[in-house]
Amino acid sequence: GGQGSTWLVDSVRTDSAATCGEAVIVIGANRDRRRDCAAGGALERWSDREQRWVDLRPIAPGTTRRYARPAGTVEYATDAAVVDTIGGVPVTVIPTTVTTFDSTGVARRRLRERYAVGLMTATWGSFEAPDGAGWRVEREFRLVAIEAPAGKP
């Protein structure tokens, strides 16, 4: 979200095989319902507008994929899966670097994150901007708690 915005992952439901899930993301007064599925080493999201599944990001370890965007290109590079612990709950995450390039191929922004496929969101992330020969952290986010619905372990 934007500077100072708070994301609340209101709910995540997965199918019995945990290959597809639906999440409700709340940002301020807006509610966004997302339907994602893992397929062929990628996360796909259902597009109501296009009426089809759209390749969203790689989730297989050691994968790099580039996606064309209106203002340039976005590159996702994943590392080997690791486990984060969020409020005592172990969560498998895929460390990922997401780099945004402008139309001339110059890197303009980078996000380093730990993406949890099972939660349909990242557990930690750092937004960065180019700073001479390196990158400068602009802001960070962190998932601080996981709460199960009443009556569920």
Side-chain angles (χ1 to χ4, degrees), residues 39-108:
L43 192 64
E44 298 179 340
R45 179 164 292 156
W46 178 254
S47 169
D48 287 332
R49 183 176 53 82
E50 299 178 39
Q51 290 296 295
R52 68 180 183 91
W53 291 98
V54 177
D55 188 2
L56 189 63
R57 63 184 299 145
I59 54 174
T63 302
T64 299
R65 287 194 186 175
R66 284 185 165 232
Y67 299 92
R69 299 292 189 247
T73 305
V74 176
E75 177 183 273
Y76 288 79
T78 63
D79 288 327
V82 296
V83 175
D84 278 353
T85 301
I86 312 298
V89 179
V91 177
T92 301
V93 298
I94 307 292
T96 305
T97 301
V98 184
T99 308
T100 303
F101 299 89
D102 66 17
S103 60
T104 67
V106 174
R108 296 294 181 185

Side-chain angles (χ1 to χ4, degrees), residues 41-42 47 55 88 90 106 122 127 131 136 140:
S47 169
D55 188 2
V106 174
F127 289 97
D131 186 14
R136 173 185 77 256
E140 294 182 306

